[in-house]
Amino acid sequence: SEGTVHGFLELRTATGALLASGDLLQVPRDREIQSRMVFHFSDASVFEEAVTFTQHGVFTMQNYHLVQSGPAFADDLEVTLSRSGQYVVKTKSHKDGDEKEYSGRLDLPPDVYNGMVITIAKNLVKGDTQTVHIVAFTPKPRLIGLEIAPSTSERIKFGRHSETAVHFKLKPKLGVLVKV
């Protein structure tokens, strides 16, 4: 069972350079879990992702909200997605200020885990690899597979306390048509 979590996050390049720092805050509310992750970039860009999910036997995303703003992103983006598949995507161009809105409904499989990748990764059985689905907003939504696999681990210290941190590799499964 998931409960309260407060994580301190860093987003780094493959070479280890710091791109952004942030927080993950997860809180149980009634019969659901609310989770919010925020990254702040040095250029004042912000990535904020919020999800509400249930955990009755399986994790199930209920509502998802994403905001990307600032020069680190091609355009500003705001997304809402519900379990029913209803979505609204709003974009604003950095070049000319042009605003667009897309809305509609997607058929979602039960394992759509937008905003829940960290939760799913930390609940994998040791050494297990799992492929789940996420909706990528490009800006129109596309359902893609995402392979989550543990790669390495290391001991890290918090003052006098040490823990084992596990690194995960995330590999998008784009499918033949998207790759072409």
Side-chain angles (χ1 to χ4, degrees), residues 10-21:
E10 291 182 339
L11 182 62
R12 295 183 173 274
T13 66
T15 59
L18 183 66
L19 292 173
S21 59

Side-chain angles (χ1 to χ4, degrees), residues 3 10 16 18 33 64 71 75-76 96 99 131 151 155 167:
E10 291 182 339
L18 183 66
I33 304 290
Y64 174 73
D75 294 316
D76 290 348
D96 58 15
E99 295 182 19
T131 299
S151 62
R155 295 295 287 174
H167 297 261

Side-chain angles (χ1 to χ4, degrees), residues 98-116:
D98 186 34
E99 295 182 19
K100 293 182 181 171
E101 184 173 311
Y102 307 90
S103 62
R105 185 181 177 287
L106 294 170
D107 288 326
L108 299 179
D111 67 346
V112 169
Y113 291 134
N114 283 58
M116 300 172 58

Side-chain angles (χ1 to χ4, degrees), residues 25 53 65:
L25 185 59
F53 64 93
H65 184 236

Side-chain angles (χ1 to χ4, degrees), residues 43-180:
D43 65 1
S45 296
V46 175
F47 175 94
E48 181 176 350
E49 189 174 56
V51 64
T52 302
F53 64 93
T54 57
Q55 56 180 353
H56 309 292
V58 295
F59 294 114
T60 305
M61 181 202 73
Q62 298 300 313
N63 293 296
Y64 174 73
H65 184 236
L66 169 68
V67 175
Q68 293 178 176
S69 63
F73 305 101
D75 294 316
D76 290 348
L77 178 76
E78 182 173 1
V79 171
T80 58
L81 174 67
S82 70
R83 176 78 244 152
S84 68
Q86 291 295 127
Y87 67 86
V88 175
V89 179
K90 297 177 184 177
T91 64
K92 184 175 181 181
S93 171
H94 290 175
K95 293 178 185 171
D96 58 15
D98 186 34
E99 295 182 19
K100 293 182 181 171
E101 184 173 311
Y102 307 90
S103 62
R105 185 181 177 287
L106 294 170
D107 288 326
L108 299 179
D111 67 346
V112 169
Y113 291 134
N114 283 58
M116 300 172 58
V117 172
I118 291 173
T119 302
I120 300 306
K122 73 179 185 169
N123 281 280
L124 285 177
V125 175
K126 187 174 182 171
D128 192 17
T129 297
Q130 184 76 38
T131 299
V132 299
H133 291 92
I134 61 169
V135 179
F137 296 93
T138 62
K140 292 182 181 179
R142 298 182 190 276
L143 187 66
I144 63 170
L146 180 67
E147 182 181 279
I148 305 170
S151 62
T152 61
S153 62
E154 67 177 289
R155 295 295 287 174
I156 57 173
K157 290 192 115 186
F158 297 103
R160 294 182 184 175
H161 180 77
S162 66
E163 289 284 341
T164 300
V166 179
H167 297 261
F168 288 89
K169 287 188 179 180
L170 306 177
K171 184 177 180 183
K173 303 287 189 173
L174 301 178
V176 176
L177 292 178
V178 175
K179 286 180 182 177
V180 171

